[in-house]
Structures are given as C-alpha cells and as structure tokens.
Amino acid sequence: MVLKTQGEEQEKAMKEAEEALKTLERGGLIFGGEAISIVDISANCLSIWLEVFGEAIGTKFIDSEKFPLICSWIEEFTSIDLVKESFPPRDKLLAYHKRLL
C-alpha cells in the first residue's frame, strides 16, 4: 500500500509496515543457521526489495537503529553469493519501481 498510495494513506501504510517490522524485531529473528531456510526465502522481501522500494518513493523502511536484528540478517543474507546472483540488477529494479509511480 505504501507504493500505491500518497499523502495520509501512504503515511498510515508506512506506520502499519513499521509496526509489523517492530513485531518481527521484538520477536527475535529465527533466520539463519548453516543453510538458507524457507524462513530466509520468505523474508527475502526485507532485503534488497524494501530498500529499493523505499528509495523509489523517497523514504527508508528499515533503519538500523530501530531494527538492528533485521539489518544484521539482511547484511548476512545478501552477502551470500547464491542470493546475490538471484537478485535482479539493483539499478534496473529501482528504475522499474520509479516508473510505476
């Protein structure tokens, strides 16, 4: 909804997204381990995708001060070669989402 709305509706959607991230942060991340798990794959949207979406609309979804555990997981997850290879080029992803706005 953050990408599809503007003004007050977008602010409301941002607050809802932040509350969901706070819940995840408070609950402690269960991601990680010796190999990529289904949980990591499911949480993939937290990695490069939210950063690019935020940049496209001029905001930041995940702040390392508010969400240190999530940011730590993102850093570890996106440093895995297999994961890096699976992402589309960041510049193309950003250009695509900017065109949608």
Side-chain angles (χ1 to χ4, degrees), residues 7-50:
E8 288 183 28
E9 286 184 57
Q10 188 178 51
E11 288 179 32
K12 181 182 176 194
M14 284 288 293
K15 287 179 183 176
E16 290 174 359
E18 186 172 313
E19 287 304 312
L21 289 169
K22 284 180 183 177
T23 299
L24 184 59
E25 182 80 17
R26 276 193 306 269
L29 299 179
I30 56 171
F31 313 177
E34 295 300 314
I36 296 172
S37 71
I38 190 69
V39 177
D40 295 299
I41 294 167
S42 298
N44 172 40
C45 68
L46 296 175
S47 59
I48 187 175
W49 305 98
L50 279 185

Side-chain angles (χ1 to χ4, degrees), residues 46-84:
L46 296 175
S47 59
I48 187 175
W49 305 98
L50 279 185
E51 181 182 327
V52 169
F53 293 157
E55 188 174 336
I57 63 168
T59 191
K60 188 170 187 172
F61 285 103
I62 301 179
D63 181 298
S64 62
E65 289 184 25
K66 289 182 184 178
F67 307 110
L69 295 175
I70 293 173
C71 288
S72 176
W73 172 81
I74 289 171
E75 187 175 317
E76 185 176 332
F77 182 69
T78 58
S79 71
I80 299 169
D81 288 337
L82 179 64
V83 172
K84 284 191 275 191

